[in-house]
Amino acid sequence: MSLLVIGINHNTASVDLREKVAFGPDVLDQALSELRENTQLNGSVIVSTCNRTEIYCDTGVSDKESIVNWLLEFHGIAPHELKPSIYIYEDQDAAKHLMRVACGLDSLVLGEPQILGQVKQAYNDAKKSQAIDSGIEKLFQKTFSVAKRVRTETEIGGSAVSVAYAACTLARQIFESIADSQVLLVGAGETIELVAKHLDAHGCRGMIVANRTKQRAELLATQYDAQVITLNEIPNVLAQADIVISSTASPLPIIGKGMVETAIKSRRHQPMLLVDIAVPRDIEPQVSELADAYLYTVDDLQSIVDGNIEQRKVEAIQAEAIVSEECAKFMEWRRSLLAVESIRQYRHQADNIRQDLLSKSLQALASGSDPEKVLLELSNKLTNKLIHSPTKALQDAAQQGEPTKLAVIQESLGLDQAK
């Protein structure tokens, strides 16, 4: 019984290759079933995200090559195309790798929290497919507890490391509650989508999406029950906005100093936060000259992000120490299982000997034999039978000139080694 992980990730494979090896939800159940049938694994979990595809296994008679071959066949990929990108970890290295993955220590963005949810989903999918055995179960449950400890004891996931998240963090720092704030999002591209997602996660319910075309904006707005306007309508609603976050591809500024000045007057000088994460700029730099208007650019946010990345690197040192400590404990427990079956067999063997000799002694007593002689014979025979195998093992180790083996047997029997 050994642990094994076979996979590729953003460090070893291109996006094109990762896409070819990905397991979508529609094929995952089939893949787990085929993997179990074709490789005779005890248990397995497939973790497949945009940045990695990994197969975690509790192996029986399977070897690494059979699993790799199955992976190639399932996706119809030539060996020369995939094999150079594959990494393989076994036993303690495999357990440690999974723990690092779940804690965000092996992610493209250090400490990102989404991967833990993805690992949990992969585990649940494998459980539904009845692909999990006790070995995999224990590994993943231990991993989840390690990830929880890392999140509790370190700040590895506590700082913004994307411009979109930094913008939302800034808004939360300036306004007591963004749930009560009106937010104007200018643009409807990927960055604004991410901003909207973060705002929604932090309770913001008042969003207006402004875009050059309403159709694109409506695709985003419907997810968050947001209002949709065109860029030309921004002056009409700007005074309603406590927070403005803009990211378009416009070659010229969309929001000017005069427009903001007019909005602030309508707001009776209630403060307004403007975050411009577009390049070229969407908001005229002169807006920063206005009282009650607080303008931050992408450069301002990037300096926050860079500082937070460095802070995450510091926190990662402690996280790595926690992973190493917990992994060592897990493997120590796992190795202890190797003795369980031997101990069970040894106790069963000794009990059979006891039962056999006791039965014969009781028969002798029933037939009228001298009780003292029966007890003496029982004790002698029981002793001889119980020490027979250890005695032979000691003799064989000594005769074959194996002092290390002899010392191990002596220690296991509680004997003082010969000086």
Side-chain angles (χ1 to χ4, degrees), residues 81-259:
E81 187 178 2
L82 182 61
K83 283 190 175 182
S85 299
I86 287 178
Y87 47 81
I88 298 175
Y89 300 113
E90 298 181 71
D91 294 321
Q92 183 159 339
D93 290 336
K96 186 173 184 179
H97 178 73
L98 175 58
M99 292 176 187
R100 294 187 74 252
V101 168
C103 293
L105 293 169
D106 192 59
S107 295
L108 183 61
V109 177
L110 181 64
E112 59 97 359
Q114 289 84 3
I115 185 61
L116 177 57
Q118 292 167 331
V119 171
K120 285 184 176 180
Q121 185 61 55
Y123 160 81
N124 288 329
D125 289 338
K127 197 162 190 176
K128 288 178 183 176
S129 296
Q130 299 182 327
I132 288 180
D133 71 328
S134 60
I136 288 291
E137 173 78 25
K138 293 291 186 182
L139 171 62
F140 275 77
Q141 290 300 331
K142 178 65 173 180
T143 294
F144 299 149
S145 69
V146 172
K148 182 178 180 180
R149 182 184 168 192
V150 166
R151 295 288 167 179
T152 301
E153 298 183 18
T154 77
E155 292 295 326
I156 191 168
S159 304
V161 291
S162 73
V163 169
Y165 192 73
C168 297
T169 301
L170 184 62
R172 290 169 56 219
Q173 290 173 349
I174 292 176
F175 290 87
E176 185 175 339
S177 172
I178 63 172
D180 301 324
S181 302
Q182 185 72 42
V183 181
L184 172 61
L185 302 175
V186 183
E190 185 177 335
T191 301
I192 289 296
E193 284 186 17
L194 194 53
V195 168
K197 181 179 180 181
H198 290 315
L199 288 171
D200 182 70
H202 288 100
C204 180
R205 295 296 176 264
M207 284 188 263
I208 302 171
V209 181
N211 196 50
R212 194 171 304 281
T213 61
K214 279 192 173 184
Q215 184 178 6
R216 170 66 177 166
E218 284 168 351
L219 292 174
L220 173 61
T222 52
Q223 299 178 53
Y224 306 107
D225 196 25
Q227 180 183 343
V228 175
I229 62 172
T230 65
L231 297 183
N232 293 332
E233 295 176 280
I234 289 177
N236 301 330
V237 302
L238 189 57
Q240 302 173 27
D242 302 301
I243 302 165
V244 179
I245 302 176
S246 186
S247 178
T248 75
S250 174
L252 297 172
I254 295 170
I255 300 174
K257 179 181 178 182
M259 189 190 303

Side-chain angles (χ1 to χ4, degrees), residues 250-323:
S250 174
L252 297 172
I254 295 170
I255 300 174
K257 179 181 178 182
M259 189 190 303
V260 176
E261 188 172 19
T262 300
I264 288 177
K265 286 179 181 178
S266 298
R267 291 170 58 82
R268 297 182 180 180
H269 297 277
Q270 291 182 32
M272 178 186 291
L273 170 65
L274 299 102
V275 183
D276 187 355
I277 49 182
V279 179
R281 298 183 187 187
D282 281 342
I283 304 173
E284 287 184 348
Q286 291 79 7
V287 167
S288 62
E289 299 170 3
L290 298 172
D292 303 313
Y294 301 92
L295 175 62
Y296 289 82
T297 68
V298 68
D299 289 338
D300 298 323
L301 295 183
Q302 192 59 53
S303 64
I304 295 173
V305 168
D306 291 343
N308 288 344
I309 288 174
E310 291 305 313
Q311 181 59 35
R312 284 197 177 191
K313 289 179 180 178
V314 172
E315 295 295 324
I317 296 172
Q318 183 183 352
E320 293 280 11
I322 291 172
V323 167

Side-chain angles (χ1 to χ4, degrees), residues 1-3 35-36 39-45 56-62 130-136 334:
M1 182 175 68
S2 62
L3 299 174
L35 178 61
R36 183 168 59 250
T39 61
Q40 298 180 0
L41 294 173
N42 295 328
S44 61
V45 172
Y56 292 88
C57 316
D58 185 3
T59 64
V61 298
S62 303
Q130 299 182 327
I132 288 180
D133 71 328
S134 60
I136 288 291
R334 189 173 169 85

